[in-house]
């Protein structure tokens, strides 16, 4: 469902300008990071074997081991670091990756021990696997679907052009070292300096990039550990409300026995939803990360959970009223109210799914939610207007029950709306600015 809505969201996202790719610091750094990573790759591919053979005097087997460890490290761990990026966010893995890779590459030029060189190469590969999957993911997080292909094209152009600038930088650095005596501080010979200085240069760039991300970049995919639990809980609430709506309809059809069975099935789903509330709460109090996002998910989960209780109480009360005392107008009210509540919870689940994927795309769905809210308000107002003329047909207790049923169904709708408002806060918090030119 949310995939269709992402496509519908292009009506709003068409206002997003491609120029923002060159204005937003996070996107600029992502493109620059890709370019620098390719420069680093070209240096490791071109210069590293020469450094090991010419300066360090390693054997062919040792060179093969040392150079292959880098590729082996990032290629085997990248599926796991990519999953980590989806789980805890983009920013932290990238910062750690740039700093780890940069520091390791710099330290390679200060040791000639084979074991240490292999270890540093392994660490450089692990650092690469931390930042590399997150760089293109930032574009996916931020850029709207209809502009994403162009943005990915710009990223790939920036990325792969590093294979062009990398060798040029190596040649340029070699020329500087040959002509400037002050740069010959990494070894006893000119050859040693020529082969070592590119590593110092590339490592320094990566470290600078890591600090730049820590200061200038905005998190584009927050690490919401409990998001999956919140979505599962919302789906349970959705299923429960649909069962309760069916129970109301069975009552209005005169099948009270089936209405009670559906109510008991809804109670079973409610208990499963309560288990997920506990998991969300457990994550919040067991997390070592900053609390605000955890609290938002905890709050929307507990808020959404309350909606079940209000509908359930209204159903129990109406089951005490004989069906013949419910006139056609109030029956139509209940049918429409149940349909609107189902529509509201369906849209709420859709909003939560989209907010956790791409916050900007959730905007059109919020408009749909507001439209349903308006219809619910009108329906409740008409029901209350109708209640007073019908008082002569019912006992005082039945009149109070009807009034409470209308009120509790309205509170249930308002509770779902409150949960959607929390989703909106989460979505707005993690938008990259400027989003619209």
């Amino acid at each position: 469902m949310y995939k269709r809505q992402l496509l519908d969201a292009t009506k709003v996202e068409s206002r997003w300008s491609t120029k923002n790719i060159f204005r937003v610091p996070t996107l600029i750094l992502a493109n620059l990071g890709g370019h620098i990573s390719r420069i680093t790759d070209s240096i490791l591919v071109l210069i590293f074997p020469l450094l090991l053979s010419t300066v360090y005097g390693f054997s062919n087997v040792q060179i093969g081991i040392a150079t292959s460890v880098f590729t082996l490290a990032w290629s085997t761990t990248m599926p796991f670091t990519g999953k980590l990026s989806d789980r805890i966010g983009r920013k932290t893995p990238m910062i750690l990756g740039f700093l780890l890779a940069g520091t390791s590459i710099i330290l390679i030029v200060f040791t000639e021990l084979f074991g240490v060189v292999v270890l540093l190469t392994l660490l450089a590969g692990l650092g690469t696997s931390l930042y590399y999957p997150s760089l293109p993911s930032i574009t996916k997080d931020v850029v709207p679907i209809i502009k994403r292909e162009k943005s990915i094209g710009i990223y790939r152009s920036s990325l792969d052009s590093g294979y062009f600038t990398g060798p040029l930088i190596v040649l340029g650095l070699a020329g500087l070292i040959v002509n400037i005596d002050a740069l010959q501080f990494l070894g006893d010979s000119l050859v040693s300096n020529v082969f070592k200085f590119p590593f110092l240069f590339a490592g320094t760039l990566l470290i600078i990039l890591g600090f730049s991300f820590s200061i200038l970049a905005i998190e584009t995919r927050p690490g919401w550990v409990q998001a999956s639990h919140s979505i599962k809980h919302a789906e349970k609430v959705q299923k429960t409300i649909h069962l309760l709506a069916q129970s109301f309809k069975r009552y209005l059809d005169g099948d009270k026995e089936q209405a009670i069975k559906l109510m008991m099935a809804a109670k079973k789903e409610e208990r499963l939803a309560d288990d997920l509330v506990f998991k969300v709460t457990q994550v919040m109090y067991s997390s070592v990360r900053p609390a605000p996002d955890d609290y938002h998910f905890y709050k929307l989960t507990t808020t959404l959970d309350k909606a079940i209780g209000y509908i359930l109480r209204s159903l129990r009360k109406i089951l005490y009223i004989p069906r013949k005392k419910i006139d056609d107008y109030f029956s139509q009210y209940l049918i429409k109210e149940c349909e609107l509540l189902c529509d509201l919870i369906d849209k709420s689940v859709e909003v939560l799914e989209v907010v956790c994927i791409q916050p900007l795309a959730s905007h059109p769905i919020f408009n749909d939610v507001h439209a349903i809210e308006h219809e619910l308000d009108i329906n409740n107002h008409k029901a209350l207007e109708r209640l007073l003329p019908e008082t002569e047909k019912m006992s005082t207790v039945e009149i109070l029950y009807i009034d409470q049923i209308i009120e509790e169904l309205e509170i249930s709708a308002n509770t779902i709306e409150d949960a959607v408002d929390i989703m909106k806060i989460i979505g707005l918090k993690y938008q990259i600015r400027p989003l619209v030119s």
Side-chain angles (χ1 to χ4, degrees):
M1 180 184 293
Y2 63 84
K3 291 180 180 178
R4 172 180 55 78
Q5 185 59 50
L6 284 174
L7 295 176
D8 294 343
T10 57
K11 294 177 182 178
V12 173
E13 293 174 344
S14 60
R15 297 166 56 210
W16 201 93
S17 173
T18 307
K19 294 178 182 178
N20 290 327
I21 297 170
F22 306 103
R23 296 173 181 170
V24 179
T26 307
L27 290 172
I28 294 172
L29 287 172
N31 290 329
L32 184 61
H35 188 78
I36 292 174
S37 72
R38 283 291 194 255
I39 292 174
T40 304
D41 289 347
S42 63
I43 289 173
L44 288 172
V45 170
L46 294 173
I47 307 299
F48 194 40
L50 297 175
L51 172 70
L52 298 182
S53 63
T54 306
V55 180
Y56 291 176
F58 287 0
S59 67
N60 290 336
V61 174
Q62 288 176 320
I63 294 171
I65 293 173
T67 53
S68 63
V69 162
F70 174 76
T71 302
L72 183 66
W74 67 255
S75 62
T76 55
T77 58
M78 199 174 289
F80 305 102
T81 55
K83 184 177 181 179
L84 179 70
S85 172
D86 289 336
R87 186 174 177 83
I88 70 170
R90 315 294 188 205
K91 189 172 178 179
T92 300
M94 281 196 299
I95 294 171
L96 293 176
F98 282 126
L99 295 179
L100 178 60
T103 303
S104 301
I105 289 171
I106 289 174
L107 292 177
I108 285 174
V109 305
F110 293 105
T111 181
E112 297 185 9
L113 298 174
F114 173 70
V116 178
V117 170
V118 170
L119 176 61
L120 291 172
T121 308
L122 175 66
L123 293 176
L126 292 176
T128 301
S129 74
L130 280 170
Y131 70 74
Y132 198 80
S134 298
L135 291 172
S137 298
I138 288 177
T139 294
K140 179 185 73 66
D141 295 337
V142 176
V143 180
I145 288 176
I146 60 172
K147 302 293 178 68
R148 193 173 296 167
E149 289 82 359
K150 187 172 183 179
S151 180
I152 288 291
I154 293 171
Y155 170 77
R156 289 295 309 188
S157 176
S158 174
L159 178 78
D160 293 330
S161 61
Y163 281 138
F164 172 74
T165 57
L168 292 180
I169 288 174
V170 170
L171 291 174
L173 292 175
L176 287 174
I177 291 169
V178 170
N179 293 290
I180 302 176
D181 293 336
L183 296 177
Q184 298 180 25
F185 60 89
L186 294 174
D188 297 330
S189 67
L190 178 62
V191 173
S192 176
N193 281 278
V194 167
F195 285 134
K196 286 183 177 182
F197 197 78
F199 288 84
L200 185 64
F201 177 79
T204 303
L205 282 181
L206 291 174
I207 291 174
I208 291 173
L209 200 57
F211 283 114
S212 298
F213 263 99
S214 67
I215 297 170
L216 301 175
I218 299 172
E219 179 58 74
T220 62
R221 183 179 176 90
W224 295 326
V225 176
Q226 68 279 62
S228 60
H229 295 317
S230 291
I231 291 175
K232 289 177 183 177
H233 172 267
E235 290 171 347
K236 285 295 178 186
V237 173
Q238 182 184 29
K239 185 176 181 180
T240 304
I241 290 177
H242 277 272
L243 285 171
L244 292 172
Q246 292 174 31
S247 182
F248 270 108
K249 291 177 182 178
R250 286 285 181 263
Y251 164 79
L252 294 173
D253 291 339
D255 192 352
K256 185 175 180 180
E257 183 179 349
Q258 186 62 25
I260 293 173
K261 287 182 180 179
L262 286 167
M263 182 179 71
M264 297 308 295
K267 280 291 296 178
K268 183 178 179 180
E269 293 297 324
E270 183 191 26
R271 286 191 289 272
L272 295 174
D274 290 339
D275 292 339
L276 290 166
V277 173
F278 174 76
K279 289 182 179 180
V280 172
T281 308
Q282 192 176 37
V283 168
M284 185 180 75
Y285 286 107
S286 63
S287 177
V288 296
R289 298 177 302 105
D293 299 334
D294 295 342
Y295 179 75
H296 283 141
F297 275 97
Y298 165 78
K299 187 66 177 176
L300 80 85
T301 302
T302 54
T303 301
L304 204 57
D305 199 66
K306 293 176 184 177
I308 299 175
Y310 291 116
I311 300 175
L312 192 57
R313 283 195 289 273
S314 65
L315 177 59
R316 284 172 175 163
K317 288 171 182 174
I318 203 168
L319 290 175
Y320 287 117
I321 302 174
R323 172 63 184 89
K324 61 183 179 181
K325 291 194 175 184
I326 304 296
D327 66 1
D328 292 340
Y329 186 88
F330 191 71
S331 297
Q332 291 301 314
Y333 155 77
L334 284 176
I335 291 172
K336 186 172 183 180
E337 189 77 2
C338 290
E339 290 175 352
L340 289 172
L341 282 171
C342 288
D343 290 343
L344 184 62
I345 188 62
D346 290 346
K347 283 296 177 183
S348 301
V349 173
E350 192 175 349
V351 167
L352 182 56
E353 289 173 336
V354 176
V355 161
C356 292
I357 296 170
Q358 192 183 34
L360 181 61
S362 62
H363 284 194
I365 320 177
F366 286 122
N367 295 333
D368 294 341
V369 170
H370 295 323
I372 297 171
E373 292 171 6
H374 183 64
E375 288 188 63
L376 281 162
D377 290 339
I378 293 174
N379 196 46
N380 288 320
H381 181 69
K382 288 181 178 179
L384 289 171
E385 284 183 338
R386 180 74 178 183
L387 179 61
L388 189 60
E390 299 297 324
T391 55
E392 296 179 357
K393 300 178 183 179
M394 301 180 184
S395 67
T396 304
V397 174
E398 290 169 344
I399 293 169
L400 289 173
Y401 271 4
I402 291 293
D403 179 63
Q404 290 172 6
I405 288 167
I406 296 172
E407 182 180 1
E408 286 172 349
L409 289 175
E410 184 176 10
I411 293 173
S412 175
N414 291 337
T415 304
I416 297 173
E417 294 163 19
D418 291 341
V420 172
D421 288 339
I422 298 171
M423 298 175 201
K424 187 185 293 185
I425 292 171
I426 296 172
L428 291 173
K429 182 178 178 182
Y430 288 100
Q431 287 181 2
I432 300 294
R433 295 178 297 272
L435 285 171
V436 180
S437 63

